Amino acid sequence: MITFPSKQPHVQTTIFTKMSAMALEYGALNLSQGFPGFDCDPALQELLQHYSKGHNQYAPMAGVPALRQSLAAKTSSFYSIPVDTETEVTIVSGATEAIFSAVHCCVSPGDEVIMFDPSYDAYDPMVRLAGGIPVHIPLKASRNFAIDWEELARHISPRTRAIMVNSPHNPTGAVWSMADLDAFAEVVKGTKILIISDEVYEHIVFDGAQHASVLLHPELRKRSFVCGSFGKTYHITGWKMGYCIAPEFLTSEFRKLHQWVTFSSATPLQYALADYLKEPAHYLGLSDFYQKKRDLFASQFAGSAWKVLPSAGSFFQCLDYSAISSEKDVDLADRLTREIKVASIPVSVFYETDPGDKILRFCFAKDDAVLLEAAKRLVQLA
Ligand code: PMP
Ligand code: GLN
């Protein structure tokens, strides 16, 4: 038998793969893995069909110029900042690749990378694969998962290479304010620390708030890889299209990595998006669209033993079940999928050390009828 030492001996298949497979197996309503339960705009499908003729060879390594231009123009007008198409924008195969390439182009063996738990499942293994040391700072449900900036400052060492941040936050739906950007800038000012900012839910921010992108703060922007995804904004998670916006000195290192990961991303998809991005209505209505779904889903739990936690952005709603069961969240998520046929994601898997919270994450990017039926089953349980 051929054997070799696993590079990731403790890594298992992701919770998203596991719970979506269970949902399929048990015929459950799948509110686990985060993806829309509805299709994208037919106009975008038509654009793809159009560009599938004559645009089927390799795209330029950094991305099709038309898409980089559309993205630079969109980002520039949305945040009122200049963005350089040539030197600051790279198109990649999903935010997953953007984060991977950002980590691997700057993290060397022994470098520390700070992340806040619950942290998106890909961050820690990506840092370890680069030889880096993940430094986890746990956030507390009792503080609505807000960051304690003094605690962050205490975790910085001479070996800190980068800090990974994510707002709107998966899995909690916590969202940074402009004051958070200022506080963050105070912590990193005068250091050589880089920032990897995962902003895939930038257009899903509720209750009239504006997305506090690190792009808006010069002290942060000058050291940040901003990782984005077209999947969340345009209901096309299956296209696996994303991007990285970063200053020139970071973009040039980022592209050196990206060229070895995928070299370039799917050409016809890039052309279709280049046209589609030009219409602001395609993303400006997204927050309202999802806020209605959040409110519909959350309102179903009024008067029940489920406790609805705040969701200020993203398409996730966390529910606390401590008044219902003492089971571990991984066990309850399993049981709910099998017994009442509603699949969710246990939040503890996003922690290095399980805080023992009793919280499940539900994706509300689903048709209203699905949300109502799922909520009905959950309330009956309580
Ligand atoms: N970061 C976060 C916080 C996410 O939720 C996701 C996917 N849902 C990604 C990154 C990956 O995005 P993509 O599908 O574009 O690779
Ligand atoms: N980001 C999605 C979620 O949080 C899942 C993406 C994936 O399955 N890798 O559910």
Side-chain angles (χ1 to χ4, degrees):
M1 194 173 129
I2 299 174
T3 59
F4 69 98
S6 169
K7 290 193 74 174
Q8 303 186 86
H10 306 297
V11 168
Q12 295 171 1
T13 306
T14 80
I15 189 72
F16 309 119
T17 307
K18 181 190 160 191
M19 295 312 300
S20 271
M22 270 193 83
L24 204 61
E25 183 182 352
Y26 291 97
L29 299 172
N30 190 1
L31 274 55
S32 65
Q33 192 178 23
F35 62 88
F38 33 83
D39 211 350
C40 66
D41 185 351
L44 182 53
Q45 298 171 24
E46 277 162 32
L47 284 170
L48 179 59
Q49 201 173 15
H50 173 74
Y51 285 112
S52 68
K53 290 188 190 69
H55 296 282
N56 293 305
Q57 310 311 329
Y58 291 129
M61 184 270 276
V64 162
L67 178 54
R68 281 192 283 126
Q69 276 152 20
S70 289
L71 180 60
K74 165 184 173 285
T75 309
S76 185
S77 88
F78 189 66
Y79 295 113
S80 304
I81 50 161
V83 178
D84 190 289
T85 307
E86 292 308 317
T87 61
E88 298 190 309
V89 180
T90 310
I91 306 301
V92 296
S93 301
T96 308
E97 196 217 317
I99 299 163
F100 186 90
S101 297
V103 166
H104 279 258
C105 78
C106 68
V107 176
S108 298
D111 286 351
E112 292 176 1
V113 179
I114 297 176
M115 57 191 71
F116 299 94
D117 287 356
S119 53
Y120 188 59
D121 66 341
Y123 300 167
D124 177 294
M126 285 180 180
V127 169
R128 287 181 197 274
L129 281 170
I133 303 163
V135 175
H136 291 259
I137 301 181
L139 303 177
K140 293 186 183 68
S142 58
R143 295 188 70 237
N144 289 340
F145 304 100
I147 290 172
D148 177 340
W149 299 106
E150 285 172 13
E151 191 180 12
L152 171 62
R154 285 197 298 278
H155 281 79
I156 287 174
S157 86
R159 292 197 297 176
T160 306
R161 171 69 60 221
I163 302 173
M164 301 181 81
V165 295
N166 171 219
S167 174
H169 188 241
N170 180 5
T172 68
V175 160
W176 285 24
S177 64
M178 298 297 168
D180 286 315
L181 295 182
D182 288 338
F184 191 24
E186 277 308 306
V187 175
V188 294
K189 204 165 137 188
T191 72
K192 291 185 175 159
I193 294 171
L194 301 175
I195 295 167
I196 298 170
S197 185
D198 178 346
E199 303 189 12
V200 301
Y201 301 102
E202 65 180 326
H203 293 301
I204 316 178
V205 178
F206 306 133
D207 308 312
Q210 291 297 308
H211 171 53
S213 171
V214 297
L215 292 170
L216 292 169
H217 201 298
E219 184 62 47
L220 301 175
R221 182 180 179 181
K222 71 179 189 193
R223 55 179 84 234
S224 291
F225 298 94
V226 175
C227 301
S229 173
F230 298 108
K232 315 292 165 179
T233 304
Y234 301 113
H235 312 316
I236 47 168
T237 60
W239 284 28
K240 291 300 301 186
M241 291 289 293
Y243 56 87
C244 175
I245 298 178
E248 184 170 1
F249 79 106
L250 295 179
T251 293
S252 64
E253 289 300 318
F254 179 92
R255 288 180 185 170
K256 285 189 206 168
L257 216 295
H258 160 67
Q259 68 186 345
W260 307 137
V261 179
T262 51
F263 179 67
S264 64
S265 301
T267 310
L269 278 61
Q270 293 195 50
Y271 278 105
L273 281 168
D275 283 3
Y276 197 70
L277 250 65
K278 289 187 181 141
E279 176 50 65
H282 292 149
Y283 54 87
L284 290 181
L286 199 64
S287 293
D288 281 351
F289 173 77
Y290 276 128
Q291 184 169 328
K292 287 199 184 80
K293 292 196 177 288
R294 176 199 66 172
D295 292 346
L296 177 75
F297 186 60
S299 65
Q300 306 307 306
F301 300 94
S304 83
W306 290 93
K307 184 175 160 209
V308 177
L309 302 187
S311 170
S314 80
F315 46 45
F316 301 116
Q317 174 66 63
C318 284
L319 297 179
D320 181 306
Y321 62 87
S322 46
I324 298 169
S325 164
S326 58
E327 281 164 281
K328 282 168 77 93
D329 60 354
V330 281
D331 296 334
L332 184 63
D334 266 35
R335 187 164 73 78
L336 294 184
T337 309
R338 278 186 273 106
E339 291 181 6
I340 65 163
K341 305 204 186 304
V342 177
S344 59
I345 295 287
V347 169
S348 68
V349 302
F350 301 106
Y351 280 88
E352 183 183 46
T353 308
D354 181 355
D357 291 336
K358 307 251 173 281
I359 300 173
L360 296 175
R361 185 199 84 174
F362 296 85
C363 172
F364 55 77
K366 306 292 161 188
D367 288 331
D368 291 355
V370 172
L371 295 176
L372 290 173
E373 178 58 28
K376 192 170 119 194
R377 294 181 195 179
L378 291 163
V379 168
Q380 277 168 2
L381 177 96

